[in-house]
Amino acid sequence: MALIQPDPTFYPSAREAMTAPREELAYVALLATTGDDRPDGLATIDLSTGAIADVHDMSVPGDELHHFGWNVCSAALCPYAPHPHVERRYLVLPGLRSSRIYIFDVKDDPRRPKLVKTIEPETIFEKTGYSRPHTVHCGTDAIYVSALGNVDGDAPGGVFTLDHDTFEPKGRWEIDRGPQRLHYDFWWHLGHDTMISSEWGTPNQIEPGPSLELLVGRQYGHRLHVWDLVKRRHLQEIDLGDEHQMALELRPAHDPTKTYGFVNTVINVEDLSANIFTWYLENGVWKARKTITIPAEPADPDLLPEPLKQFGAVPPLVSDISLTLDDRILLVSAWGTGELKAYDVSDPFAPRETGSVRIGGIARRDGHPAAPGRALNGGPQMVEASRDGRRVYFTNSLYRSWDDVFYPDGISSWMAKVDIADDGSIALDPGFFVDFASDGRRAHQVRLQGGDSSSDSYCFP
């Protein structure tokens, strides 16, 4: 009789996941530069050589692929909703502009993912009332997908779920959303039956590109929302301050006994800084405290795009963060200044900077050792750490209409890697540089074969 065992990429705890084999492949979303003449793509990168092993084009142009994820992950081992015999087999890719979702099978040939299902926008509209799917997380009972708005591109945005087996939309997740209207990311504390969500803006606010009027009017998101994960009800709102515009990526502690996490805000409208907040549970109440501030950098106005000339400075524009599985190192990507920073957050209320590398940037255009003499644009943007916390991969495109405002000469896309030392310092790998210039599309989200630091959640410490 055959013995059925869980997927070998599933681990009950983040501590055990850190012992996993080294990743061999990365999957990277490629965004077409105009959106109407060529479809987006899914690239497979051989991480031992930095070579592009395969590119699969989507069916039609205009998707704007965003934060894709796995169908299932280590959350399948949670004791209250176990699915131990499912496989980490499918990648779920949402189209942020098209509201289309693609399902790719990587089991038979991981180097060449195979498109097996497409969920058309009309199906999502009808079954959920939402549009613009943005982020995919594998939960204990379903595939969870964030959506930025309703079918008309206005508020509210929220979360809907897909069936684990059929990938059919099950419906809107929220039962009682309380005051929540804007939406962006979501994550959870499984040991405490709590979900946290963040805010960017409605599709109609963000799709035309960044708006100085909306920024000055403090109309982008600046709140966190706390939810009862089981009852699907809004519990609490945490206002980070309306000067802190665009509360984006959520990175909770991986240890399920810990009740804290980190969120980045893109820009402070009073001084152009970017900030990191630590959220935490204290005496039954969820709170947030600003723990990192990254200031804007003075720059020659002649080197700046039109919206920034009047300020004579480059805002960091922190657009992504990644937390290693041991909850020790927080990676922070400053897309505007072209800097990737590392912080020791062993004490989540007193982060200590341990390292920094420079590449790209609005004004600096720092190069890479593998491409000497070449000025690079874009900057560290989507960032993903390996399960053992030793390697960090990052790409340089944010969102097409926002790319074009801050880098009007057009982003020539690349993917780079840093190594993390024992003391938390980071250094560019001089031999790893994936150049997408010949393809012409822009690299965005990165997923690592077998899982990475932001793909899985765990129910055991």
Side-chain angles (χ1 to χ4, degrees):
M1 179 177 176
L3 178 64
I4 300 176
Q5 295 182 327
D7 187 309
T9 70
F10 295 170
Y11 294 87
S13 70
R15 176 174 47 83
E16 291 188 48
M18 292 187 69
T19 68
R22 180 170 175 153
E23 65 283 356
E24 297 178 355
L25 301 173
Y27 302 103
V28 179
L30 299 181
L31 313 180
T33 56
T34 64
D36 56 8
D37 61 344
R38 186 183 182 192
D40 293 347
L42 176 64
T44 305
I45 310 300
D46 184 328
L47 295 177
S48 65
T49 63
I52 302 173
D54 182 67
V55 177
H56 190 294
D57 291 345
M58 299 304 113
S59 306
V60 295
D63 287 311
E64 188 99 18
L65 297 177
H66 239 63
H67 297 181
F68 61 97
W70 294 102
N71 61 314
V72 291
C73 55
S74 297
L77 300 181
C78 289
Y80 54 84
H83 296 79
H85 305 309
V86 292
E87 296 178 281
R88 189 196 304 265
R89 175 173 180 172
Y90 301 98
L91 288 170
V92 182
L93 278 70
L96 182 53
R97 280 187 183 264
S98 68
S99 298
R100 185 176 291 108
I101 296 178
Y102 297 96
I103 312 296
F104 279 84
D105 187 345
V106 303
K107 181 177 181 179
D108 293 338
D109 188 351
R111 298 174 71 90
R112 293 173 178 79
K114 179 182 178 182
L115 179 63
V116 295
K117 185 180 180 68
T118 302
I119 306 170
E120 294 296 340
E122 294 75 18
T123 301
I124 295 172
F125 299 162
E126 178 184 354
K127 293 190 176 181
T128 73
Y130 286 137
S131 72
R132 280 63 163 209
H134 182 277
T135 297
V136 174
H137 288 312
C138 36
T140 58
D141 56 340
I143 302 166
Y144 287 65
V145 185
S146 70
L148 296 192
N150 63 22
V151 175
D152 297 321
D154 296 318
V159 175
F160 65 91
T161 59
L162 304 177
D163 184 89
H164 264 149
D165 300 312
T166 66
F167 302 105
E168 287 300 310
K170 297 171 71 172
R172 181 177 296 191
W173 177 80
E174 301 87 0
I175 294 296
D176 178 3
R177 69 178 343 107
Q180 180 267 331
R181 291 295 177 268
L182 298 181
H183 187 67
Y184 180 75
D185 196 11
F186 67 100
W187 254 119
W188 36 59
H189 291 280
L190 292 178
H192 298 268
D193 295 331
T194 299
M195 176 187 282
I196 309 289
S197 67
S198 60
E199 301 182 338
W200 183 10
T202 68
N204 291 335
Q205 287 177 322
I206 68 168
E207 287 179 351
S211 166
L212 188 59
E213 180 181 354
L214 290 176
L215 276 173
V216 172
R218 307 186 182 203
Q219 296 301 302
Y220 291 112
H222 49 88
R223 298 178 179 89
L224 301 181
H225 298 274
V226 183
W227 306 80
D228 185 311
L229 184 57
V230 176
K231 295 181 180 179
R232 299 153 58 191
R233 298 179 184 277
H234 189 280
L235 297 176
Q236 188 184 334
E237 179 181 274
I238 305 172
D239 195 334
L240 304 178
D242 64 7
E243 70 274 24
H244 297 291
Q245 289 284 281
M246 294 175 274
L248 297 189
E249 305 295 343
L250 300 170
R251 299 291 179 257
H254 296 94
D255 183 337
T257 67
K258 298 176 180 177
T259 52
Y260 68 83
F262 304 93
V263 61
N264 66 295
T265 55
V266 176
I267 190 166
N268 183 324
V269 297
E270 296 177 352
D271 61 11
L272 302 185
S273 67
N275 293 271
I276 307 294
F277 287 77
T278 301
W279 79 76
Y280 58 100
L281 181 64
E282 183 177 75
N283 299 323
V285 179
W286 292 89
K287 302 177 181 180
R289 183 189 306 174
K290 184 166 62 176
T291 49
I292 299 173
T293 294
I294 304 173
E297 297 181 353
D300 183 344
D302 291 340
L303 299 176
L304 302 179
E306 196 59 42
L308 298 179
K309 288 184 182 295
Q310 61 182 304
F311 303 108
V314 179
L317 300 176
V318 167
S319 52
D320 196 19
I321 56 177
S322 183
L323 180 64
T324 56
L325 287 187
D326 57 4
D327 296 329
R328 178 183 168 225
I329 301 296
L330 184 72
L331 289 309
V332 177
S333 56
W335 184 65
T337 51
E339 186 176 18
L340 182 69
K341 288 176 169 287
Y343 294 86
D344 187 320
V345 291
S346 301
D347 179 346
F349 300 104
R352 177 177 58 86
E353 185 171 350
T354 57
S356 168
V357 298
R358 295 274 190 169
I359 180 170
I362 290 173
R364 293 177 58 111
R365 307 297 172 105
D366 287 300
H368 188 279
R374 177 179 165 189
L376 299 177
N377 64 6
Q381 208 286 108
M382 294 309 300
V383 55
E384 194 56 73
S386 62
R387 287 175 291 182
D388 63 3
R390 290 294 189 177
R391 294 165 300 284
V392 181
Y393 304 89
F394 56 98
T395 56
N396 70 330
S397 173
L398 174 64
Y399 183 66
R400 192 174 69 235
S401 58
W402 292 54
D403 287 354
D404 295 344
V405 168
F406 291 109
Y407 292 93
D409 50 327
I411 284 180
S412 180
S413 202
W414 42 261
M415 175 179 173
K417 167 180 170 282
V418 300
D419 296 311
I420 304 180
D422 289 341
D423 62 359
S425 61
I426 57 176
L428 280 168
D429 180 342
F432 187 94
F433 184 77
V434 184
D435 190 348
F436 295 98
S438 60
D439 181 278
R441 288 174 287 192
R442 301 171 183 172
H444 188 64
Q445 173 72 9
V446 178
R447 280 280 170 237
L448 303 182
Q449 182 186 25
D452 44 58
S453 66
S454 66
S455 61
D456 290 42
S457 47
Y458 305 91
C459 276
F460 297 92

